[in-house]
Amino acid sequence: RAATSRSPDPTATQPVAAMAFCNDPTAMHEEGLTSCKLRPTVLFSIADHFTRRQDEQGRVIGTLLGSVTDGVVDIAGCFPVPHSESEQATVDADFNATMYGLHRKVHPKQVVVGWYSTGSELTHNDQFYHQFFEDLAGEGVALVFLLVDMSLTAAGVKTKTFVRNELALGGKHVASAFKDIRLRVAKTDAERIGIDHIVRSSMAGGGGPQNLVPLRAEVDTNHLRMCKLLDAIDKMRAYIEQVEGGKIKANAAIGRTLADALSSLPKPDSAEFNQMLDSNTQDMLMVSYLSKLTSTQLVLSEKLGAMQV
């Protein structure tokens, strides 16, 4: 029998309460959660969960963890949750509670902000699972639903986020509707470096750990950036020369962009710039020298300790 009441004991494996399903694109979602920021590591975790699924499983689901600030959900982590859809929608709440408790010991500031599922479109069981995670999160806590399409039929992985709105007529609950909200991938500098490394390895044809492209040293990275900067300057110079020579028509938007870029550059004194560059170079060399000296002392101390034993 379909029921709309909340489950009294969310700590045991059980069917999730059924709800009426509505996917009306004109329905307005409740104010509060306006957009989502998704960390790239979450997508990698979901992809890993999907590739390790059992053969009979059509999709996988899991819990999303993070924080909410001014209506913006920051999805920073996730973990898989066993479920079944063979006869009825069920989920292992004991496993979910155990994993959440372990995660809280490592990241005490992260809370449940939603759940994820793989697939290309919404299904009726999505309402069941959303109700289950809302029961665990507590009364009045709005959660997001992240839908990840792992079919790879197009370039990249398609992702969408939804919030649920309760539709009422005359004070009586009628149905629930999913409404999509804006989603963007936000990455830190460390995550950006890791993603760039993975992209370089895939473009180099790396099929295994033995074919991975090694991470660039800081000097090589700075050299690559300077080469890209010089290439951009050459293109900008060529464009200006073509405009001045009457070969191409001037574009006002490009001109304003170039003017803004040039005006934002600092204009240091030549002597001060050389002094700053020399000082930074000496600092970098000193740090490199001290790190190598410390490494040598550690190796020597380890060998002396082994000889005494």
Side-chain angles (χ1 to χ4, degrees), residues 88-152:
Q88 57 182 347
T90 61
V91 61
D92 192 342
D94 289 336
F95 180 89
N96 180 77
T98 301
M99 289 294 295
Y100 180 57
L102 295 174
H103 189 90
R104 290 277 291 178
K105 292 181 179 180
V106 182
H107 303 282
K109 294 184 179 180
Q110 293 186 4
V111 297
V112 177
V113 295
W115 66 289
Y116 71 82
S117 172
T118 57
S120 58
E121 58 186 13
L122 298 173
T123 67
H124 285 74
N125 285 340
D126 293 337
Q127 289 281 3
F128 303 163
Y129 294 123
H130 198 91
Q131 181 65 39
F132 168 78
F133 286 100
E134 280 191 345
D135 290 338
L136 295 182
E139 187 72 27
V141 179
L143 301 181
V144 297
F145 168 35
L146 174 64
L147 183 63
V148 183
D149 186 3
M150 297 299 299
S151 59
L152 301 179

Side-chain angles (χ1 to χ4, degrees), residues 53-255:
R53 74 190 189 283
Q54 298 180 358
D55 295 336
E56 63 273 10
Q57 272 191 311
R59 65 168 178 170
V60 295
I61 69 171
T63 303
L64 297 176
L65 303 164
S67 60
V68 181
T69 305
D70 297 331
V72 179
V73 182
D74 186 0
I75 305 175
C78 68
F79 59 82
V81 177
H83 79 292
S84 175
E85 295 179 283
S86 56
E87 297 180 357
Q88 57 182 347
T90 61
V91 61
D92 192 342
D94 289 336
F95 180 89
N96 180 77
T98 301
M99 289 294 295
Y100 180 57
L102 295 174
H103 189 90
R104 290 277 291 178
K105 292 181 179 180
V106 182
H107 303 282
K109 294 184 179 180
Q110 293 186 4
V111 297
V112 177
V113 295
W115 66 289
Y116 71 82
S117 172
T118 57
S120 58
E121 58 186 13
L122 298 173
T123 67
H124 285 74
N125 285 340
D126 293 337
Q127 289 281 3
F128 303 163
Y129 294 123
H130 198 91
Q131 181 65 39
F132 168 78
F133 286 100
E134 280 191 345
D135 290 338
L136 295 182
E139 187 72 27
V141 179
L143 301 181
V144 297
F145 168 35
L146 174 64
L147 183 63
V148 183
D149 186 3
M150 297 299 299
S151 59
L152 301 179
T153 55
V157 177
K158 295 182 179 180
T159 56
K160 292 183 179 180
T161 49
F162 303 89
V163 292
R164 191 175 69 172
N165 183 33
E166 303 297 335
L167 303 181
L169 181 62
K172 183 179 180 181
H173 173 76
V174 178
S176 299
F178 279 121
K179 177 67 177 181
D180 61 320
I181 60 176
R182 187 168 61 91
L183 172 68
R184 66 183 181 91
V185 178
K187 51 185 177 294
T188 61
D189 291 339
E191 292 171 339
R192 178 182 55 80
I193 293 173
I195 294 174
D196 292 343
H197 178 59
I198 293 175
V199 172
R200 289 199 305 270
S201 297
S202 61
M203 293 179 64
Q210 68 278 5
N211 296 323
L212 289 178
V213 177
L215 286 171
R216 294 191 182 99
E218 184 177 359
V219 176
D220 297 333
T221 302
N222 291 335
H223 175 72
L224 179 62
R225 291 175 178 172
M226 291 301 298
C227 291
K228 290 183 178 180
L229 177 60
L230 293 175
D231 182 62
I233 293 175
D234 292 337
K235 291 180 180 179
M236 179 179 64
R237 180 187 301 170
Y239 171 78
I240 295 175
E241 290 176 352
Q242 289 179 353
V243 171
E244 290 180 344
K247 297 180 180 179
I248 60 176
K249 185 178 179 180
N251 188 310
I254 296 178

